[in-house]
Amino acid sequence: MDGTARAGAMRAALAADGSGARPMRWWRAPGRVNLIGDHTDYAEGFVLPMAIDRDCLVAVCAGTAGRVRARSLELPGAVDVAADGSDEPRRIEPSWGRFVAGAVRVVTDRVGHAELAAGIELVVSSTVPAGSGLSSSSALTVALVLALAESGGLVLDATDTARSALDAEVLATGVPGGLMDQLCSLHGIADHALLIDCRSLEVAPIRIPDDLAVLVMHSGVPRTLAGSAYAERRAATEDAAAQLGITTLRDAGPDQVCDNPFARHVVSENARVLAFADALRTGNHDALGPLLLASHASLRDDFAVSTPELDALVEAFVSAGALGARLTGAGFGGCVVAVAPAATADEVLTATVAAYGIPSSGPVAAFRVTAVGGAGPVSDPDGSR
Ligand code: ADP
Ligand code: MG
């Protein structure tokens, strides 16, 4: 669906609720792909994601007193939650409404329970494939927090918006995530990856050279285990830090973690992120592929979050001519990210699909992504992506 059709469908969805004639505000938040640096953000480490040209759009207008009501163009069901934030997010059905309730609660906790009382009607449409590791959930919550914060008269800077969106996501899912996805969605810059220091929250743009393409393909494996395993892995890294007498593994050196595979992954991955960013900065393309493959091997062997399908997809990308590839996101399914020469990107995608096969389940997708600007208001939704 192009921008005009999407915005038109969103207007029609609001009009169907009798809200179409009211003034509307539009917000957009992109998904992201993490080039390198997984399971490092919650240990105050380094990550290198980029905001991608797939995004969540939210249109908002005045609604029924005391209620926040929401529809999604992609998922069924009408969400209807109390505008004072009193609904427990994890009890809301349909389940995607938990993100709405989480965002309502985060905003009302900051501005007071009366601020959204006039009521809000909103509609969501996202081109980020859900459940793939491209952070459709954060694109959704960042767009919702931006929309609801403005409705509630709350002025947030980018870091505060990211923290609020993370809080909303944790309220919705119970999964104690890191801040990478939200920061990336907010700080995205066209043609750049973002080197994020998850301790200082400093964000440094790193240009992606024009002769490189970033490719993504879904393994066909849903990430059903991701939530529980994520919490276990996070606890394991926190235990490892505690045993070393430090707050987070950010402060551990390689010699201190050689006997603990979970900690070893975090420490070695931090070093790979910095090396990858340096290689991009200095045009050292030869270094990129080996770093991606080493990251995948570490996630597979040390951190134990890969699957045979993700391993096979990494192999398929490499045999198709990518410089390197790795699982991206928390693991246990979802997508693989690859870097390939821009000149052969289409051939690499075609050959990868041929080598791996078309997944029988999950979103079927192999595509190139480009780096885009960060989340914010949209004045021309018909022209937006
Ligand atoms: P990921 O963030 O990797 O895409 P998650 O499991 O964290 O995967 O988030 C997916 C969830 O986000 C969906 O199950 C749904 O609740 C919500 N979501 C994503 N896209 C949409 C959408 N277009 N409309 C409504 N909810 C969505
Ligand atoms: Mg998510």
Side-chain angles (χ1 to χ4, degrees), residues 137-159:
S137 57
S138 302
L140 174 64
T141 38
V142 167
L144 287 170
V145 164
L146 286 169
L148 294 174
E150 188 191 57
S151 301
L154 177 63
V155 179
L156 296 173
D157 66 16
T159 305

Side-chain angles (χ1 to χ4, degrees), residues 42-143:
Y42 50 77
E44 297 190 346
F46 297 100
V47 294
L48 190 73
M50 65 186 224
I52 59 172
D53 51 340
R54 305 256 174 157
D55 56 33
C56 182
L57 209 52
V58 170
V60 190
C61 67
T64 307
R67 310 303 302 173
V68 174
R69 302 199 312 193
R71 285 179 184 281
S72 163
L73 292 195
E74 290 77 33
L75 292 179
V79 172
D80 187 343
V81 303
D84 62 3
S86 60
D87 281 332
E88 178 52 42
R90 291 184 73 190
R91 296 221 185 90
I92 299 296
E93 295 293 343
S95 59
W96 68 269
R98 296 172 190 179
F99 294 96
V100 178
V104 169
R105 176 162 299 176
V106 163
V107 169
T108 52
D109 278 353
R110 302 276 297 255
V111 294
H113 293 193
E115 286 308 315
L116 300 177
I120 289 169
E121 204 76 40
L122 63 88
V123 61
V124 167
S125 174
S126 182
T127 54
V128 188
S132 304
L134 302 178
S135 219
S136 69
S137 57
S138 302
L140 174 64
T141 38
V142 167

